[in-house]
Each structure stands twice: as C-alpha cells, then as structure tokens.
Amino acid sequence: MKKIISSGFIASIVLLVFAYLCLLVMPILLPKVAEEYYNPAFVNDESRNLLYYVHPVVLAFGLAWFWNRFKSLLKGNALMQGIEMALIYVVIATIPSLLITYSAINVSLLTTGTWLLYGFFQALIAGIIFSRMHV
C-alpha cells in the first residue's frame, strides 16, 4: 500500500506538470485545436477549471493501483513497461471514452486525436515512474 501511495503521489506531481505544460504548448503547436475549445459545446464555467488539475491526481492513483495489481504481466525495461501500460490504458479507457465523446460532441477528429495522444503519454509517464519505483 505504501508503494501505491508514494508512487501515486510522485506520478500525480509529474502528471500535473505535464498537464500544465500541455496547456501552454497546445495553442502554439495546434492553434486550430485550441480554437475548438471556444465552441459552445465546451463548458465555460471557471468553477470547473479545477477539475482539469484534479484529473491527473485521480488518474495517477488509479494507475498506481492498476500497476500494483498487474505489474508482473508487464515485461521489459521501464520504457517498454510504460508503453505496454499506456497501450492497455488507451484501449480499455481512452478509446471507449473518446468514441462516445466524439459521437456526442461537435469536436474534430484532430482534437479527439490529441486527447488520445494525451492519454497515452499520461499513462506512459506514470508507467515509467511506477516501473522505477516498484522494483
């Protein structure tokens, strides 16, 4: 349990930094995608902005629990284990969520693709952290 909490805490911090960096870099790298967030389909309620920063914390602890349960099935070095965990996360959680979101909200396939990549890299980062901490 101690490893889940400590690795979840470290992954939370790193994923929070990653989320913040993505907020800063996305409008520069993908201005068309950034413009989509001004669409009325997106909630423009500042009281919910905190949830963007809560998400990486919840995800980190969920993935830490998952890692603790299934780490023996992930083979290879830290990078390979991280990639495998990211692929599992993308297939089990990200793609199904994005399919329902894409079907219900007026967003482009490009925006949906960026969310897919974002989820993959979140799980990859967490997987590498867990691999190094759960030796």
Side-chain angles (χ1 to χ4, degrees):
M1 185 67 160
K2 184 178 177 183
K3 283 187 179 183
I4 294 172
I5 292 171
S6 61
S7 64
F9 181 72
I10 298 297
S12 293
I13 293 169
V14 175
L15 291 181
L16 278 167
V17 170
F18 179 66
Y20 185 71
L21 290 174
C22 285
L23 276 178
L24 296 176
V25 171
M26 193 209 24
I28 297 165
L29 295 179
L30 298 166
K32 295 280 187 198
V33 172
E35 284 178 28
E36 277 194 58
Y37 288 98
Y38 294 106
N39 184 325
F42 291 96
V43 174
N44 190 13
D45 181 1
E46 289 184 19
S47 68
R48 294 187 190 184
N49 288 352
L50 179 64
L51 295 175
Y52 181 81
Y53 298 104
V54 170
H55 172 265
V57 176
V58 172
L59 179 63
F61 282 98
L63 290 176
W65 172 83
F66 177 85
W67 178 272
N68 193 56
R69 296 275 302 179
F70 298 102
K71 64 186 169 197
S72 64
L73 300 174
L74 306 174
K75 305 297 180 202
N77 61 26
L79 177 62
M80 291 310 296
Q81 288 177 324
I83 290 171
E84 191 171 359
M85 184 167 141
L87 290 172
I88 292 167
Y89 173 70
V90 162
V91 169
I92 291 174
T94 308
I95 290 175
S97 323
L98 292 178
L99 284 173
I100 199 71
T101 301
Y102 184 73
S103 72
I105 298 176
N106 185 22
V107 293
S108 71
L109 199 53
L110 177 62
T111 297
T112 308
T114 63
W115 295 340
L116 180 72
L117 288 174
Y118 181 66
F120 175 84
F121 282 109
Q122 283 181 309
L124 173 64
I125 291 165
I128 291 170
I129 290 169
F130 302 149
S131 177
R132 299 209 183 253
M133 291 185 73
H134 291 235
V135 178

